[in-house]
Amino acid sequence: MEQFVHIYVTSDIHGYVLPLTYGNNEKAEIGLAKTVGLLKEHMFNRSNTFLIDNGDLIQGTPLTYYHAKTDQADVNPMVLLLNELNYDAAIIGNHEFNYGLPYLYKTIDDSKFPWLSANIVHQGTEKPVFGQPFVIKTFDCGLKVALLGLTTQYVPNWENPEHIKGLDFLDAVETAKKWIPYLRSKSDVMIVSYHGGFERDLRTGEPTESLTKENQAYQLCMEVEGIDVLVTGHQHRLLTGEVNGVEIIQPGTQGTGLGYVEVKVNGEGDSWEVKDKRARLLSVNDHEPDQQVLNLIQPYEMKTQKWLDQPLGQVDGDMTITDPMLTRLVDHPFIEFINKVQMDAAGVDISSTALFDDHSKGFSKHVTMRDIVSNYVYPNTLKVIELTGRDMKDALERSASYFSVNEEGDPIINPAFSIPKPQHYNYDMWEGIDYTIDLSKPLGHRIVNLMHKGKPIESNSLYEVVMNNYRAGGGGDYPMLKGKRVVKDIPIDMSELMANYILNRGTIQATCDHNWRVMVSSSLKNKRSR
């Protein structure tokens, strides 16, 4: 007897439900409401379905931030939706920890579906933290499908230590090797849903990034026997294909698409054999948002929109961003403002920050909470760490590698910061020191004229620097920052610090001291002067 298993996958939704961007409330082809419209259309009258969310669900928009910070009494809005849609399981993603373990545990308690992660265990044990790390679903025909959940083991390199206290993150590949033989003996089809991505080119196997074990999907395909389907995420890519006989899929981010894998099996009763597998990416473009989702989310959305429109203050001068690349090439008042907020909160005179993405617009004259959260999109806190001059220069060299130079001698983004996904958030701009990035010099030797208070920075001298918790933990491939002495921990979200900074002053000044610069070719200088 021939049967089909229909696997549907969402991943990296990041709190996007409505088809809009919160910065201006303009319509966009995104959001779980549109994904669900597509999902219901596709699942209609189908049997043998398996519905999975692959993690990074509950963080990423003002909707989820407002709930986590001010409205926790209600069920998490994302969980409410997945409950109503009868999801079979969700995977713990790295951003699930951003609001702390108590919030995550409440989110899980409110869920009518299991949250899976076999490789997140109680410290010093091999006991999974979130209960049973797998599910086995038996269909009416007798066919059994197993799902094992895994999470990128790199979480401790990014997350606030208090948010993962008492947890160990084991190697995802070794954990899969432990569980899959058992699950294969209990099932006919084996799915692994891994909140992590691919570290190598799917076709050639060549590394596409530093092999830090942040992403191990290729290794899972090559080294772990018995996987039929591997669901991936974390990198926000759109991927389908086959690696070493494993059907793979990664369905993007923010609800822009739905992953679908069809598995054909033959057999009956307790004996089934996989005959064919096919993965497809389904776009939400031109699909209407689902009315059930819109109705369910409306009470949460109304409170969020009211909160976003709170006036905070105004800007004297120009803090708008019109060209993100130019903002990274030339010191900008908005970046200087963020560094000023950090230095004010920390009581130090050296700071670093980044322009996280190319969607940030900076501040117009009148600033609301909407402006804060649409520009500063992560729930980062701050740390002051003690660095040597050598550490500081090494960190600046890492940032300087963000740039490549094209044939005309103009700066472009190094593909290592744009492939497989944009990583603009890993290019830092510093305040409180003076420096030049000389793109005519080789990587690792681009930082020149590095000064502090008019004097050259000495390699062995110590400096106190404030930065976000992600970077202070070495996140973004900054190993020179990891493990440094923490002088001060500031456990308040940057969005709150920014809002309070403006509220306390009423008017903020758009200033820029041009303490750093990027030396570029004359052709770009001419372009910038026009």
Side-chain angles (χ1 to χ4, degrees):
M1 178 171 60
E2 185 176 88
Q3 292 283 337
F4 292 89
V5 180
H6 305 283
I7 305 164
Y8 295 94
V9 181
T10 52
S11 189
D12 298 272
I13 295 294
H14 282 289
Y16 282 86
V17 177
L18 297 183
L20 57 81
T21 54
Y22 280 97
N24 51 23
N25 277 346
E26 290 183 356
K27 289 184 178 180
E29 295 287 342
I30 58 174
L32 189 61
K34 289 176 75 71
T35 313
V36 171
L38 174 60
L39 174 67
K40 287 183 175 180
E41 176 186 307
H42 215 265
M43 286 182 68
F44 183 70
N45 277 343
R46 277 188 163 158
S47 57
N48 304 343
T49 60
F50 211 124
L51 184 52
I52 306 163
D53 183 82
N54 192 46
D56 278 6
L57 175 71
I58 65 172
Q59 176 278 334
T61 59
L63 173 75
T64 51
Y65 180 88
Y66 178 79
H67 180 268
K69 293 300 179 181
T70 66
D71 201 25
Q72 290 190 23
D74 290 335
V75 175
N76 185 291
M78 308 308 294
V79 164
L80 174 69
L81 297 178
L82 267 60
N83 284 344
E84 292 296 321
L85 295 166
N86 297 313
Y87 267 69
D88 290 296
I91 310 304
I92 299 289
N94 55 293
H95 282 288
E96 260 66 69
F97 295 97
N98 285 172
Y99 299 124
L101 280 175
Y103 183 75
L104 178 54
Y105 285 137
K106 182 183 184 302
T107 296
I108 292 171
D109 288 343
D110 288 338
S111 303
K112 296 178 181 178
F113 51 87
W115 288 79
L116 311 178
S117 184
N119 64 313
I120 304 177
V121 299
H122 292 284
Q123 195 169 55
T125 76
E126 293 188 0
K127 182 181 179 182
V129 171
F130 303 105
Q132 188 165 292
F134 63 85
V135 293
I136 299 176
K137 187 173 183 178
T138 304
F139 297 111
D140 292 341
C141 62
L143 176 69
K144 295 180 179 179
V145 178
L147 171 67
L148 178 70
L150 297 169
T151 305
T152 172
Q153 69 190 70
Y154 214 61
V155 174
N157 290 277
W158 307 308
E159 192 52 69
N160 184 332
E162 285 298 312
H163 293 175
I164 53 174
K165 192 173 183 178
L167 310 185
D168 283 338
F169 292 77
L170 305 181
D171 186 288
V173 172
E174 295 305 316
T175 303
K177 288 178 180 178
K178 170 188 171 182
W179 283 102
I180 286 177
Y182 169 77
L183 293 172
R184 284 260 49 151
S185 72
K186 302 291 184 181
S187 63
D188 306 296
V189 178
M190 184 70 237
I191 308 168
V192 173
S193 195
Y194 168 53
H195 189 83
F198 284 91
E199 73 279 25
R200 295 177 181 270
D201 184 273
L202 301 189
R203 184 177 57 85
T204 67
E206 290 297 312
T208 53
E209 62 185 34
S210 298
L211 300 180
T212 61
K213 296 191 176 182
E214 175 184 351
N215 298 300
Q216 294 178 281
Y218 191 89
Q219 189 181 0
L220 281 166
C221 292
M222 299 302 293
E223 295 186 13
V224 183
E225 293 186 10
I227 304 174
D228 293 310
V229 176
L230 178 63
V231 176
T232 65
H234 184 56
Q235 294 170 313
H236 301 178
R237 300 168 72 182
L238 295 168
L239 297 173
T240 59
E242 184 181 286
V243 178
N244 196 31
V246 179
E247 196 73 11
I248 65 97
I249 193 163
Q250 189 171 146
T253 185
Q254 299 179 359
T256 55
L258 176 68
Y260 170 59
V261 185
E262 181 184 79
V263 181
K264 183 170 80 171
V265 296
N266 277 348
E268 58 184 341
D270 294 330
S271 179
W272 298 88
E273 183 179 357
V274 174
K275 292 296 185 181
D276 193 25
K277 300 169 289 186
R278 183 170 57 114
R280 293 169 55 198
L281 295 168
L282 309 175
S283 172
V284 303
N285 288 356
D286 301 324
H287 280 78
E288 291 299 314
D290 179 74
Q291 193 59 51
Q292 178 192 16
V293 171
L294 297 180
N295 293 340
L296 287 168
I297 208 65
Q298 185 180 20
Y300 296 88
E301 182 66 19
M302 287 177 63
K303 287 187 281 188
T304 302
Q305 291 289 348
K306 183 177 180 181
W307 173 71
L308 285 172
D309 287 331
Q310 293 180 70
L312 299 175
Q314 61 184 16
V315 177
D316 181 11
D318 185 4
M319 274 195 196
T320 59
I321 294 173
T322 57
D323 185 338
M325 183 65 168
L326 193 58
T327 301
R328 298 183 182 102
L329 287 166
V330 180
D331 198 7
H332 190 281
F334 180 73
I335 300 300
E336 189 156 304
F337 164 75
I338 296 176
N339 276 318
K340 282 181 179 177
V341 172
Q342 294 187 170
M343 291 188 291
D344 180 75
V348 298
D349 64 2
I350 305 177
S351 172
S352 71
T353 192
L355 183 65
F356 294 136
D357 56 41
D358 283 351
H359 306 296
S360 295
K361 301 299 182 185
F363 291 161
S364 55
K365 183 173 181 60
H366 298 284
V367 184
T368 66
M369 200 68 205
R370 186 184 305 277
D371 299 309
I372 299 286
V373 297
S374 61
N375 280 282
Y376 203 100
V377 295
Y378 298 114
N380 291 332
T381 58
L382 297 178
K383 289 185 185 293
V384 178
I385 60 176
E386 188 176 68
L387 300 178
T388 66
R390 169 54 61 185
D391 296 328
M392 201 182 306
K393 183 176 186 298
D394 289 345
L396 286 162
E397 291 289 358
R398 162 63 179 157
S399 285
S401 70
Y402 176 83
F403 298 108
S404 292
V405 179
N406 64 16
E407 293 180 356
E408 288 75 34
D410 294 335
I412 58 174
I413 298 170
N414 182 342
F417 286 79
S418 59
I419 299 172
K421 71 174 182 179
Q423 297 177 47
H424 306 300
Y425 48 81
N426 284 331
Y427 169 69
D428 290 339
M429 292 159 279
W430 292 56
E431 190 65 30
I433 59 174
D434 296 281
Y435 62 96
T436 297
I437 299 175
D438 186 348
L439 297 185
S440 69
K441 296 184 179 295
L443 290 174
H445 301 277
R446 288 177 164 180
I447 302 300
V448 298
N449 302 325
L450 180 57
M451 311 281 283
H452 178 237
K453 295 182 177 179
K455 297 180 180 179
I457 286 180
E458 300 292 338
S459 294
N460 296 323
S461 295
L462 295 175
Y463 303 86
E464 294 181 357
V465 183
V466 60
M467 60 188 67
N468 67 57
N469 62 288
Y470 169 77
R471 186 71 79 239
D477 200 14
Y478 282 81
M480 72 294 294
L481 305 179
K482 186 176 180 180
K484 298 300 179 182
R485 185 173 81 87
V486 177
V487 178
K488 186 183 296 184
D489 188 7
I490 304 166
I492 303 171
D493 282 9
M494 262 299 287
S495 56
E496 185 176 343
L497 292 172
M498 291 167 69
N500 288 339
Y501 185 94
I502 299 171
L503 282 169
N504 290 338
R505 289 161 177 78
T507 299
I508 55 173
Q509 305 296 320
T511 62
C512 195
D513 61 5
H514 299 286
N515 63 298
W516 60 270
R517 67 188 185 112
V518 180
M519 287 179 61
V520 296
S521 69
S522 58
S523 61
L524 186 67
K525 290 177 183 177
N526 292 336
K527 174 183 175 182
R528 286 158 53 197
S529 66
R530 287 200 294 267

